[in-house]
Amino acid sequence: WELSGGTEYTPEELVAKIRRFKPYFKEDGGVTFSGGEPMMQAEILYDLCSRLQEEHISVAFETALAFPWKVIHRMTECVDLFLVDFKIFDNEKHKEYTGTENTLIKENLKKLVNYRPIMIRIPIIKGINDEIENAVVTADFLAALGKNIKSVELLPYHDFGVEKAKHVGVNQQMFEAPDEKQLEQLKEVYRSRKLNVVE
């Protein structure tokens, strides 16, 4: 396991390291696993998250949910909160820009709301998913999922990762951030569906 700086840890060592920070977590703190995609390492993370649960340390898990339900369902046993990256509602457009359909993602979301609270995170890219129409169908879908959708956060695109990608020999496509006015209009769409929009 690699925490940062290229240091590897076993799950036991990592739990011991995290345990030392427990006094700083207070009531609303804990550990968040993000990525890349942590669900790619679901087996070892299940072990680690289960150990953290035994220590009464809350766990949040950031994922795109593009995995078989049995993998996600197992993680609900030891994860307290899911941060779900949701990009584009339209299936064909989602496939065009991400390389994969989103039917599985939507089906998994419908199931996951029955198990754990979810925070939705939507990266907003100008000309890709910043249309009002996309926001309307996405907001309607999320609102229908019920009270376990705790919040929606609209994240304006940034190009911080482009330079990093170049350093490892990957050419990453450049996009544009949405206009501030457009972003506010999108937020209003979600608010009008009684969804909690995180600022």
Side-chain angles (χ1 to χ4, degrees):
W1 263 85
E2 193 173 301
L3 184 64
S4 64
T7 306
E8 292 187 0
Y9 298 90
T10 65
E12 295 86 351
E13 290 169 336
L14 199 48
V15 169
K17 193 171 183 70
I18 293 168
R19 190 188 296 122
R20 295 203 298 268
F21 292 95
K22 192 175 176 183
Y24 300 99
F25 293 160
K26 304 196 185 290
E27 289 182 21
D28 60 349
V31 175
T32 300
F33 293 99
S34 61
E37 172 56 76
M39 205 70 80
M40 296 284 289
Q41 301 178 65
E43 193 61 40
I44 195 165
L45 278 175
Y46 178 82
D47 178 29
L48 181 55
C49 293
S50 297
R51 291 170 189 267
L52 291 171
Q53 193 175 50
E54 289 169 8
E55 297 282 340
H56 304 288
I57 295 171
S58 67
V59 174
F61 207 81
E62 186 174 1
T63 176
L65 289 185
F67 291 84
W69 170 245
K70 65 179 181 180
V71 176
I72 297 162
H73 183 231
R74 187 172 186 232
M75 293 306 295
T76 64
E77 297 172 14
C78 58
V79 173
D80 302 292
L81 171 70
F82 283 83
L83 311 172
V84 175
D85 297 323
F86 194 91
K87 297 173 180 68
I88 305 170
F89 190 84
D90 181 77
N91 191 45
E92 288 305 312
K93 198 169 182 182
H94 190 279
K95 187 174 181 180
E96 178 185 349
Y97 287 104
T98 70
T100 183
E101 295 184 355
N102 66 7
T103 307
L104 178 63
I105 295 167
K106 288 187 250 189
E107 289 304 312
N108 284 336
L109 254 177
K110 289 177 188 176
K111 295 172 185 172
L112 188 57
V113 290
N114 296 309
Y115 292 87
R116 288 289 179 264
I118 299 167
M119 296 172 70
I120 300 291
R121 308 179 83 213
I122 306 174
I124 304 296
I125 302 172
K126 188 172 184 176
I128 307 297
N129 67 343
D130 66 336
E131 314 95 340
I132 296 297
E133 294 78 12
N134 179 68
V136 167
V137 291
T138 304
D140 286 343
F141 172 71
L142 295 174
L145 294 178
K147 59 182 175 54
N148 257 353
I149 300 295
K150 297 301 181 185
S151 65
V152 176
E153 186 175 8
L154 305 185
L155 304 165
Y157 168 80
H158 61 73
D159 60 5
F160 299 158
V162 175
E163 282 302 314
K164 288 182 181 178
K166 283 181 185 174
H167 288 301
V168 294
V170 175
N171 284 323
Q172 195 173 67
Q173 187 174 349
M174 289 281 288
F175 295 102
E176 288 184 59
D179 301 323
E180 279 296 321
K181 184 179 178 183
Q182 183 72 358
L183 195 59
E184 281 306 311
Q185 289 176 341
L186 297 177
K187 288 178 182 178
E188 276 307 312
V189 171
Y190 289 91
R191 290 189 191 107
S192 71
R193 272 68 177 177
K194 308 298 185 210
L195 291 161
N196 175 31
V197 177
V198 175
E199 293 293 338

